[in-house]
Amino acid sequence: MRITIQDQASYEECLKKLEARLIGRDKGAKQVILAKAAKRCETIKKSLMAAWDQVEQFSLQYQGVLKTKEKIIQLNIERFLSSGRKILDAGWAKNNLCPFCGSEVDFDHLREELNRRLEEV
C-alpha cells in the first residue's frame, strides 16, 4: 500500500496508518506470547493434576499398608499374650513370678489381665 505525501494532512494520515500497523503488529505479537503462556499454564496444570492423582493413589496404598501393619502388630501382641496364658495354664512359670518380666505377681490377677488384653486385641 503506497501513500503519497503531498501536504501536512496527507503526512498526518500516513503517520496514523503507520502507527496503526505498528500497534496491530504489537498486539499480534502480544497475543502470540499470551497464547503460548496460556498453553504452558494448561500443560503445568495437567502435570500438577496428574501428580496430585499419584499422591492420592499413594496415600490410599499407604493407608492400606498402615492398616496391614497394625493388624500384624495386633497379631504379634495376641501371640505374645496367648503364650503367656499358655505358660500360666500349663504351670510352666515359677509360682507367683511373671513369665514376662520375672517380678512377683498374683497369677489369678495376671490371668485376668491376660484374658482382658486378649479380648481387646
Side-chain angles (χ1 to χ4, degrees):
M1 169 190 226
R2 293 182 145 227
I3 300 175
T4 305
I5 299 175
Q6 299 170 350
D7 55 15
Q8 184 67 29
S10 61
Y11 172 76
E12 287 178 14
E13 181 182 339
C14 181
L15 187 60
K16 285 180 185 178
K17 287 183 180 184
L18 284 173
E19 286 177 349
R21 286 180 76 184
L22 289 174
I23 289 172
R25 284 184 185 166
D26 190 42
K27 282 184 180 179
K30 286 179 181 177
Q31 286 177 341
V32 168
I33 291 170
L34 183 60
K36 286 181 181 179
K39 191 172 184 174
R40 279 189 237 138
C41 286
E42 189 61 32
T43 301
I44 291 169
K45 178 182 174 184
K46 286 178 183 177
S47 296
L48 289 174
M49 294 302 289
W52 182 253
D53 288 343
Q54 289 178 350
V55 167
E56 285 182 332
Q57 287 176 352
F58 174 79
S59 178
L60 290 173
Q61 290 174 352
Y62 185 69
Q63 292 299 322
V65 168
L66 288 179
K67 287 179 183 176
T68 302
K69 181 181 175 184
E70 183 62 30
K71 287 179 184 177
I72 291 170
I73 290 170
Q74 292 300 319
L75 285 173
N76 287 334
I77 290 172
E78 189 268 335
R79 285 185 199 140
F80 175 73
L81 295 173
S82 293
S83 296
R85 185 169 62 185
K86 184 177 181 180
I87 289 169
L88 290 179
D89 291 345
W92 297 338
K94 292 182 182 178
N95 198 20
N96 293 327
L97 286 178
C98 177
F100 299 113
C101 66
S103 62
E104 284 192 35
V105 66
D106 177 21
F107 276 1
D108 291 332
H109 175 71
L110 183 57
R111 275 192 188 91
E112 288 174 15
E113 187 63 24
L114 285 171
N115 289 332
R116 183 188 66 75
R117 297 267 322 270
L118 281 166
E119 287 178 27
E120 287 178 4
V121 174

